[in-house]
Amino acid sequence: SYFCQRAIIAASAAQELARYLCPNQAMPLFTSALLQDIGILALEALDGTDYSTLLPQLHPHHYLCEIEHARYGCDHALVGAWLAISWGVPSSLANNILASHTPLTDTDPAKLCLALSSRIAECWLAADSAAAFRALLQELAAGASIDIVRLMKVMQEIQDQLPSLSRLFDITCPPAIDSVSLLDEAKQLLFEQNLSINQRLAEQRRELEALHARHIALDAKHRTDHLTQLAN
């Protein structure tokens, strides 16, 4: 099912991202990402068909959270965290589930791994995955929250792991992504990013040179009497 495929993609992504950003948290983040949407199953079990009608809004994921807040006053992340605590799991895992949908601008490495793992899973299973990943790469390039070259390596690692993970959890393996097109997109974004950086550096250099020239002129003016033109 979509839910199960999303879970293993997110878990694999969180683990691989953590190996780069926070290696000592790789395994806990795998478990957290695997369970981050458990609240969806809980709400569906409690609200039956009424909740099931919301599930098409799962694409993109944040729409579902908005609808949940409007309907229940909370979202599935909070429900999932509460459920995890009721199971007696460590509070750190429950906190990770609660923080699984934080913005990609979050500077905490663990929260960034979880948030990005959710977005990767969403893009992976989107109807137009190429367009979805393109938008994600552009967002990451603009925010510079993670090196997109590293992200491409992570994507390849995920693709390599999915067949074995699918067999382990006895689910249909998620479809493969077009890694060649994604790599080309990443290279283009990197080129544009570097070009923008070089342009900003050139502008700053010109500003510094102009400031230096004004400083020299002002210094010369202070050293010279403006009436006699003799040195002070």
Side-chain angles (χ1 to χ4, degrees):
S1 69
Y2 176 89
F3 179 85
C4 294
Q5 290 181 337
R6 180 185 170 87
I8 65 165
I9 293 171
S12 180
Q15 183 180 47
E16 291 305 318
L17 288 166
R19 286 175 177 166
Y20 166 54
L21 295 173
C22 45
N24 61 325
Q25 299 187 60
M27 287 310 299
L29 287 175
F30 176 91
T31 305
S32 299
L34 190 67
L35 298 175
Q36 66 178 309
D37 288 331
I38 196 69
I40 290 177
L41 296 182
L43 288 172
E44 187 176 20
L46 289 171
D47 211 7
T49 55
D50 287 341
Y51 183 77
S52 297
T53 59
L54 303 180
L55 291 182
Q57 298 296 327
L58 196 64
H59 317 281
H61 208 59
H62 67 272
Y63 288 157
L64 178 63
C65 294
E66 292 174 2
I67 295 172
E68 288 169 344
H69 272 287
R71 185 179 180 90
Y72 309 111
C74 64
D75 61 18
H76 62 269
L78 180 60
V79 173
W82 172 84
L83 190 61
I85 291 173
S86 70
W87 290 340
V89 303
S91 59
S92 58
L93 191 151
N95 288 333
N96 283 344
I97 293 174
L98 184 61
S100 58
H101 301 316
T102 55
L104 295 181
T105 52
D106 199 306
T107 55
D108 181 270
K111 289 181 180 179
L112 178 58
C113 287
L114 284 170
L116 189 50
S117 73
S118 177
R119 294 288 299 278
I120 287 173
E122 179 179 309
C123 293
W124 201 293
L125 297 173
D128 187 349
S129 62
F133 272 120
R134 189 178 305 114
L136 177 60
L137 288 174
Q138 290 172 345
E139 183 179 346
L140 291 171
S145 52
I146 187 172
D147 182 353
I148 58 176
V149 173
R150 172 67 65 170
L151 180 60
M152 289 300 97
K153 294 179 181 178
V154 167
M155 301 290 285
Q156 188 58 57
E157 290 293 333
I158 297 170
Q159 185 136 289
D160 293 341
Q161 291 177 8
L162 284 180
S164 58
L165 283 173
S166 299
R167 289 192 297 271
L168 178 64
F169 290 98
D170 193 25
I171 66 170
T172 302
C173 185
I177 57 171
D178 187 349
S179 56
V180 174
S181 296
L182 276 178
L183 184 58
D184 289 342
E185 183 72 26
K187 288 178 179 178
Q188 179 62 29
L189 283 171
L190 276 176
F191 173 77
E192 293 172 0
Q193 191 176 36
N194 289 335
L195 183 61
S196 177
I197 290 173
N198 288 335
Q199 288 174 340
R200 289 199 299 271
L201 286 175
E203 290 171 2
Q204 290 174 352
R205 190 178 301 111
R206 287 193 295 270
E207 290 173 1
L208 286 173
E209 289 172 352
L211 183 62
H212 182 62
R214 287 197 298 271
H215 175 74
I216 292 175
L218 185 60
D219 185 60
K221 183 178 179 180
H222 286 165
R223 291 174 181 274
T224 305
D225 182 86
H226 70 285
L227 292 176
T228 65
Q229 298 301 308
L230 297 177
N232 289 328

XYZ file of all heavy atoms in Angstrom, residues 135-205:
555
model
N 11.139 20.256 -7.694
C 10.726 21.315 -6.770
C 11.459 21.197 -5.437
O 11.874 22.204 -4.853
C 9.216 21.244 -6.543
N 11.653 19.963 -4.958
C 12.365 19.753 -3.692
C 13.822 20.180 -3.812
O 14.364 20.843 -2.916
C 12.274 18.281 -3.288
C 13.030 17.893 -2.008
C 12.516 18.682 -0.806
C 12.913 16.384 -1.743
N 14.475 19.818 -4.923
C 15.871 20.194 -5.128
C 16.025 21.714 -5.197
O 16.977 22.277 -4.639
C 16.408 19.563 -6.407
C 16.665 18.049 -6.373
C 17.053 17.554 -7.755
C 17.746 17.698 -5.364
N 15.097 22.372 -5.867
C 15.147 23.829 -5.951
C 14.968 24.465 -4.577
O 15.639 25.445 -4.240
C 14.076 24.328 -6.914
C 14.368 24.000 -8.362
C 13.208 24.314 -9.291
O 12.070 24.519 -8.839
N 13.467 24.350 -10.587
N 14.089 23.892 -3.767
C 13.884 24.395 -2.406
C 15.140 24.218 -1.570
O 15.541 25.112 -0.826
C 12.711 23.651 -1.756
C 12.359 24.146 -0.376
C 11.173 23.404 0.222
O 10.463 22.698 -0.528
O 10.952 23.530 1.437
N 15.784 23.069 -1.698
C 17.001 22.804 -0.935
C 18.155 23.671 -1.418
O 18.959 24.145 -0.622
C 17.381 21.326 -1.047
C 16.441 20.341 -0.346
C 16.801 18.914 -0.706
C 16.495 20.530 1.162
N 18.239 23.877 -2.735
C 19.313 24.712 -3.281
C 19.170 26.146 -2.807
O 20.157 26.821 -2.507
C 19.295 24.656 -4.804
N 17.926 26.624 -2.715
C 17.686 27.998 -2.281
C 17.987 28.164 -0.799
O 18.538 29.179 -0.363
C 16.239 28.390 -2.563
N 17.624 27.130 -0.005
C 17.823 27.243 1.441
C 19.178 26.775 1.910
O 19.589 27.088 3.032
N 19.883 26.013 1.066
C 21.223 25.509 1.407
C 21.212 24.737 2.723
O 22.162 24.773 3.482
C 22.227 26.656 1.481
N 20.099 23.999 2.995
C 20.019 23.248 4.240
C 20.805 21.938 4.162
O 21.167 21.365 5.181
C 18.554 22.964 4.593
O 17.893 22.358 3.493
N 21.063 21.469 2.938
C 21.855 20.250 2.763
C 22.483 20.279 1.377
O 21.917 20.838 0.435
C 20.980 18.994 2.942
C 21.851 17.725 2.927
C 19.891 18.930 1.893
C 21.088 16.467 3.284
N 23.641 19.703 1.268
C 24.361 19.621 -0.003
C 23.575 18.710 -0.953
O 23.367 17.524 -0.663
C 25.757 19.052 0.264
C 26.604 18.971 -0.991
O 26.078 19.235 -2.086
O 27.790 18.632 -0.870
N 23.133 19.244 -2.090
C 22.299 18.435 -2.978
C 23.103 17.343 -3.685
O 22.528 16.358 -4.152
C 21.536 19.305 -4.009
C 22.482 20.133 -4.858
C 20.532 20.184 -3.326
C 21.765 20.914 -5.943
N 24.423 17.486 -3.772
C 25.244 16.394 -4.309
C 25.194 15.211 -3.352
O 25.042 14.058 -3.758
C 26.692 16.861 -4.524
C 27.575 15.683 -4.910
C 26.752 17.930 -5.600
N 25.307 15.506 -2.063
C 25.178 14.472 -1.047
C 23.784 13.838 -1.105
O 23.627 12.629 -0.965
C 25.433 15.069 0.329
C 25.155 14.139 1.504
C 26.099 12.973 1.563
N 27.463 13.406 1.806
C 28.462 12.565 2.086
N 28.231 11.258 2.112
N 29.685 13.017 2.296
N 22.779 14.657 -1.325
C 21.414 14.145 -1.401
C 21.272 13.162 -2.552
O 20.573 12.147 -2.428
C 20.428 15.301 -1.567
C 18.947 14.912 -1.653
C 18.501 14.172 -0.397
C 18.079 16.140 -1.885
N 21.926 13.426 -3.666
C 21.863 12.505 -4.797
C 22.459 11.143 -4.425
O 21.943 10.092 -4.825
C 22.612 13.089 -5.996
C 21.928 14.277 -6.662
S 20.278 13.883 -7.306
C 19.255 14.485 -5.951
N 23.532 11.161 -3.648
C 24.131 9.897 -3.198
C 23.177 9.162 -2.264
O 23.053 7.936 -2.309
C 25.464 10.174 -2.495
C 26.536 10.735 -3.412
C 27.821 11.017 -2.651
C 28.886 11.603 -3.579
N 30.146 11.931 -2.858
N 22.515 9.923 -1.420
C 21.527 9.337 -0.509
C 20.403 8.679 -1.306
O 19.950 7.572 -0.989
C 20.959 10.413 0.443
C 19.712 9.907 1.166
C 22.020 10.833 1.456
N 19.936 9.355 -2.357
C 18.855 8.821 -3.177
C 19.247 7.483 -3.808
O 18.448 6.552 -3.884
C 18.483 9.825 -4.268
C 18.049 11.172 -3.761
S 16.468 11.136 -2.943
C 15.414 10.996 -4.342
N 20.500 7.400 -4.244
C 20.957 6.154 -4.843
C 21.018 5.041 -3.803
O 20.657 3.888 -4.071
C 22.332 6.347 -5.489
C 22.811 5.159 -6.300
C 21.853 4.799 -7.419
O 21.537 5.623 -8.269
N 21.359 3.567 -7.433
N 21.465 5.379 -2.594
C 21.508 4.404 -1.506
C 20.105 3.897 -1.189
O 19.900 2.699 -0.958
C 22.130 5.028 -0.255
C 23.623 5.303 -0.366
C 24.440 4.034 -0.448
O 23.977 2.993 0.066
O 25.529 4.062 -1.046
N 19.143 4.809 -1.155
C 17.760 4.407 -0.882
C 17.278 3.437 -1.957
O 16.690 2.394 -1.653
C 16.834 5.643 -0.845
C 17.238 6.572 0.302
C 15.382 5.214 -0.685
C 16.527 7.919 0.252
N 17.527 3.779 -3.207
C 17.076 2.933 -4.316
C 17.680 1.541 -4.220
O 17.009 0.544 -4.508
C 17.442 3.581 -5.646
C 16.922 2.851 -6.869
C 16.321 3.798 -7.903
O 15.264 4.364 -7.686
N 17.012 3.974 -9.009
N 18.930 1.459 -3.799
C 19.591 0.163 -3.666
C 19.004 -0.664 -2.521
O 18.997 -1.899 -2.576
C 21.089 0.357 -3.436
C 21.795 0.945 -4.656
O 21.223 0.873 -5.757
O 22.908 1.486 -4.496
N 18.535 0.019 -1.465
C 18.046 -0.688 -0.283
C 16.590 -1.113 -0.379
O 16.167 -2.038 0.319
C 18.212 0.216 0.956
C 19.637 0.459 1.370
C 19.731 1.408 2.546
O 18.716 1.764 3.146
N 20.937 1.818 2.884
N 15.805 -0.436 -1.200
C 14.363 -0.672 -1.206
C 13.952 -2.124 -1.515
O 13.031 -2.642 -0.870
C 13.678 0.279 -2.186
C 13.538 1.732 -1.690
C 12.838 2.588 -2.733
C 12.776 1.782 -0.367
N 14.591 -2.808 -2.453
C 14.161 -4.201 -2.696
C 14.282 -5.087 -1.454
O 13.348 -5.830 -1.131
C 15.108 -4.659 -3.819
C 15.475 -3.395 -4.531
C 15.573 -2.354 -3.457
N 15.408 -4.998 -0.731
C 15.583 -5.832 0.464
C 14.645 -5.400 1.582
O 14.097 -6.239 2.312
C 17.034 -5.790 0.937
O 17.440 -4.460 1.221
N 14.425 -4.093 1.737
C 13.493 -3.618 2.761
C 12.065 -4.059 2.448
O 11.302 -4.416 3.357
C 13.550 -2.094 2.865
C 14.737 -1.491 3.615
C 14.743 0.034 3.486
C 14.703 -1.886 5.090
N 11.704 -4.034 1.176
C 10.364 -4.463 0.781
C 10.155 -5.937 1.097
O 9.081 -6.342 1.567
C 10.147 -4.211 -0.714
O 10.268 -2.835 -1.007
N 11.184 -6.755 0.853
C 11.068 -8.177 1.189
C 10.979 -8.360 2.699
O 10.215 -9.197 3.191
C 12.270 -8.946 0.626
C 12.253 -9.084 -0.893
C 13.291 -10.081 -1.364
N 14.653 -9.656 -1.053
C 15.401 -8.902 -1.851
N 14.911 -8.485 -3.016
N 16.632 -8.564 -1.500
N 11.745 -7.565 3.441
C 11.751 -7.670 4.905
C 10.373 -7.366 5.480
O 9.893 -8.062 6.378
C 12.791 -6.712 5.487
C 12.888 -6.653 7.019
C 13.339 -7.998 7.581
C 13.854 -5.551 7.447
N 9.723 -6.327 4.965
C 8.412 -5.932 5.476
C 7.259 -6.541 4.671
O 6.099 -6.241 4.938
C 8.297 -4.405 5.479
C 9.160 -3.739 6.515
C 10.396 -3.207 6.171
C 8.742 -3.656 7.830
C 11.203 -2.590 7.121
C 9.535 -3.043 8.788
C 10.768 -2.516 8.432
N 7.609 -7.388 3.689
C 6.614 -8.108 2.888
C 5.604 -7.160 2.245
O 4.389 -7.304 2.387
C 5.885 -9.130 3.762
C 5.064 -10.122 2.924
O 5.421 -10.318 1.739
O 4.081 -10.676 3.452
N 6.134 -6.158 1.529
C 5.275 -5.228 0.795
C 5.776 -5.123 -0.640
O 6.897 -5.555 -0.955
C 5.261 -3.823 1.443
C 6.642 -3.175 1.326
C 4.794 -3.872 2.880
C 6.649 -1.712 1.723
N 4.939 -4.544 -1.481
C 5.343 -4.309 -2.872
C 6.441 -3.257 -2.913
O 6.330 -2.206 -2.278
C 4.147 -3.825 -3.703
O 3.108 -4.796 -3.631
C 4.552 -3.611 -5.160
N 7.502 -3.557 -3.649
C 8.629 -2.623 -3.721
C 8.193 -1.323 -4.415
O 7.557 -1.368 -5.474
C 9.782 -3.250 -4.486
S 11.290 -2.237 -4.505
N 8.520 -0.174 -3.834
C 8.184 1.103 -4.476
C 8.851 1.212 -5.843
O 9.892 0.593 -6.093
C 8.756 2.145 -3.507
C 8.836 1.444 -2.199
C 9.157 0.020 -2.522
N 8.282 1.982 -6.741
C 8.872 2.119 -8.082
C 10.233 2.791 -8.028
O 10.517 3.582 -7.116
C 7.849 3.001 -8.811
C 7.157 3.760 -7.720
C 7.092 2.823 -6.562
N 11.069 2.458 -8.993
C 12.382 3.093 -9.085
C 12.222 4.514 -9.612
O 11.271 4.822 -10.328
C 13.291 2.287 -10.006
N 13.148 5.374 -9.236
C 13.129 6.743 -9.739
C 14.167 6.887 -10.848
O 15.081 6.066 -10.966
C 13.423 7.764 -8.619
C 14.776 7.467 -7.965
C 12.314 7.775 -7.589
C 15.234 8.535 -7.004
N 14.024 7.921 -11.628
C 14.951 8.187 -12.724
C 16.149 8.954 -12.162
O 16.176 10.179 -12.159
C 14.255 9.005 -13.817
C 15.119 9.157 -15.059
O 16.316 8.812 -15.004
O 14.606 9.642 -16.086
N 17.134 8.221 -11.666
C 18.276 8.840 -11.006
C 19.135 9.650 -11.976
O 19.767 10.632 -11.588
C 19.134 7.776 -10.317
O 19.544 6.785 -11.247
N 19.148 9.259 -13.253
C 19.945 9.994 -14.240
C 19.386 11.412 -14.422
O 20.122 12.401 -14.407
C 19.964 9.245 -15.590
C 20.677 10.082 -16.643
C 20.643 7.893 -15.434
N 18.061 11.501 -14.579
C 17.436 12.817 -14.742
C 17.614 13.668 -13.484
O 17.853 14.876 -13.569
C 15.943 12.663 -15.053
O 15.762 12.013 -16.289
N 17.494 13.013 -12.323
C 17.671 13.743 -11.062
C 19.090 14.279 -10.933
O 19.307 15.404 -10.479
C 17.360 12.829 -9.876
C 15.902 12.700 -9.465
C 15.769 11.735 -8.307
C 15.337 14.053 -9.074
N 20.061 13.489 -11.343
C 21.447 13.925 -11.278
C 21.685 15.106 -12.216
O 22.369 16.069 -11.853
C 22.375 12.762 -11.635
C 23.882 13.033 -11.514
C 24.240 13.463 -10.090
C 24.684 11.805 -11.910
N 21.115 15.034 -13.413
C 21.233 16.156 -14.354
C 20.608 17.420 -13.769
O 21.149 18.521 -13.898
C 20.555 15.803 -15.680
C 21.332 14.760 -16.467
O 22.525 14.571 -16.171
O 20.729 14.137 -17.364
N 19.450 17.254 -13.124
C 18.774 18.393 -12.495
C 19.634 18.982 -11.388
O 19.761 20.201 -11.249
C 17.430 17.936 -11.938
C 16.589 19.041 -11.319
C 16.002 19.973 -12.364
O 15.808 19.539 -13.509
O 15.744 21.144 -12.019
N 20.237 18.092 -10.592
C 21.094 18.551 -9.492
C 22.307 19.310 -10.021
O 22.699 20.337 -9.472
C 21.538 17.357 -8.651
N 22.902 18.792 -11.096
C 24.068 19.464 -11.688
C 23.691 20.853 -12.195
O 24.450 21.814 -12.029
C 24.639 18.615 -12.828
C 25.352 17.361 -12.370
C 25.851 16.548 -13.566
C 26.580 15.305 -13.132
N 27.019 14.480 -14.303
N 22.522 20.961 -12.820
C 22.066 22.251 -13.330
C 21.834 23.226 -12.183
O 22.218 24.408 -12.256
C 20.779 22.068 -14.138
C 20.193 23.356 -14.699
C 21.120 24.051 -15.683
O 21.912 23.396 -16.365
N 21.035 25.371 -15.768
N 21.224 22.735 -11.114
C 20.985 23.589 -9.947
C 22.295 24.028 -9.309
O 22.439 25.174 -8.872
C 20.125 22.844 -8.926
C 18.633 22.739 -9.239
C 17.950 21.800 -8.270
C 17.984 24.118 -9.187
N 23.256 23.109 -9.254
C 24.563 23.466 -8.696
C 25.245 24.535 -9.539
O 25.864 25.469 -9.008
C 25.455 22.221 -8.615
C 25.285 21.327 -7.391
C 26.174 20.103 -7.515
C 25.622 22.094 -6.118
N 25.145 24.387 -10.871
C 25.726 25.387 -11.761
C 25.091 26.752 -11.521
O 25.791 27.771 -11.399
C 25.535 24.960 -13.223
C 25.954 26.004 -14.217
C 27.295 26.219 -14.509
C 24.998 26.784 -14.862
C 27.680 27.190 -15.423
C 25.381 27.759 -15.773
C 26.728 27.956 -16.060
N 23.761 26.774 -11.439
C 23.055 28.038 -11.197
C 23.403 28.609 -9.832
O 23.569 29.827 -9.669
C 21.541 27.806 -11.306
C 21.084 27.445 -12.714
C 19.623 27.039 -12.752
O 18.983 27.038 -11.664
O 19.123 26.710 -13.847
N 23.524 27.712 -8.838
C 23.862 28.150 -7.488
C 25.262 28.760 -7.451
O 25.481 29.822 -6.861
C 23.768 26.960 -6.532
C 23.830 27.317 -5.053
C 23.642 26.088 -4.188
O 24.103 24.999 -4.524
N 22.967 26.254 -3.064
N 26.226 28.080 -8.102
C 27.604 28.591 -8.129
C 27.692 29.905 -8.890
O 28.435 30.816 -8.507
C 28.534 27.552 -8.767
C 28.747 26.346 -7.877
O 28.621 26.446 -6.663
N 29.067 25.212 -8.474
N 26.926 30.009 -9.990
C 26.909 31.247 -10.770
C 26.372 32.399 -9.923
O 26.927 33.504 -9.934
C 26.040 31.060 -12.020
C 25.970 32.256 -12.987
C 27.352 32.589 -13.536
C 24.997 31.954 -14.130
N 25.308 32.135 -9.175
C 24.734 33.162 -8.304
C 25.722 33.571 -7.223
O 25.871 34.766 -6.915
C 23.446 32.629 -7.680
O 22.900 33.568 -6.782
N 26.413 32.589 -6.637
C 27.403 32.890 -5.601
C 28.535 33.732 -6.170
O 28.976 34.712 -5.560
C 27.948 31.577 -4.990
C 26.860 30.892 -4.162
C 29.173 31.863 -4.116
C 27.251 29.520 -3.673
N 29.021 33.357 -7.370
C 30.105 34.113 -7.997
C 29.681 35.549 -8.315
O 30.466 36.489 -8.169
C 30.558 33.408 -9.280
C 31.316 32.127 -9.002
O 31.907 31.978 -7.931
N 31.296 31.197 -9.934
N 28.426 35.713 -8.743
C 27.926 37.061 -9.019
C 27.871 37.899 -7.739
O 28.249 39.076 -7.739
C 26.540 36.976 -9.659
C 26.559 36.468 -11.093
C 25.164 36.257 -11.654
O 24.190 36.124 -10.907
N 25.065 36.207 -12.975
N 27.411 37.279 -6.644
C 27.354 38.005 -5.376
C 28.749 38.361 -4.887
O 28.981 39.450 -4.354
C 26.619 37.174 -4.323
C 25.126 37.062 -4.562
C 24.398 36.656 -3.294
N 24.834 35.368 -2.793
C 24.298 34.206 -3.151
N 23.303 34.179 -4.023
N 24.739 33.082 -2.641
N 29.698 37.437 -5.072
C 31.081 37.704 -4.653
C 31.678 38.844 -5.471
O 32.398 39.696 -4.923
C 31.928 36.438 -4.806
C 31.695 35.330 -3.781
C 32.510 34.089 -4.135
C 32.054 35.799 -2.369
N 31.383 38.852 -6.775
C 31.893 39.929 -7.632
C 31.305 41.273 -7.212
O 32.022 42.291 -7.170
C 31.554 39.629 -9.093
N 30.012 41.291 -6.882
C 29.382 42.531 -6.426
C 29.989 43.006 -5.117
O 30.250 44.202 -4.924
C 27.874 42.307 -6.262
C 27.136 42.127 -7.586
C 25.693 41.703 -7.384
O 25.275 41.586 -6.202
O 24.983 41.490 -8.385
N 30.233 42.078 -4.202
C 30.844 42.439 -2.925
C 32.264 42.959 -3.119
O 32.691 43.893 -2.438
C 30.845 41.223 -1.989
C 29.459 40.827 -1.494
C 29.477 39.550 -0.684
O 30.493 38.860 -0.589
N 28.334 39.208 -0.103
N 32.995 42.339 -4.079
C 34.360 42.797 -4.361
C 34.343 44.229 -4.893
O 35.168 45.071 -4.492
C 35.022 41.851 -5.360
C 36.525 42.105 -5.541
C 37.141 41.113 -6.514
N 36.979 39.740 -6.066
C 36.202 38.845 -6.647
N 35.495 39.184 -7.733
N 36.116 37.618 -6.191
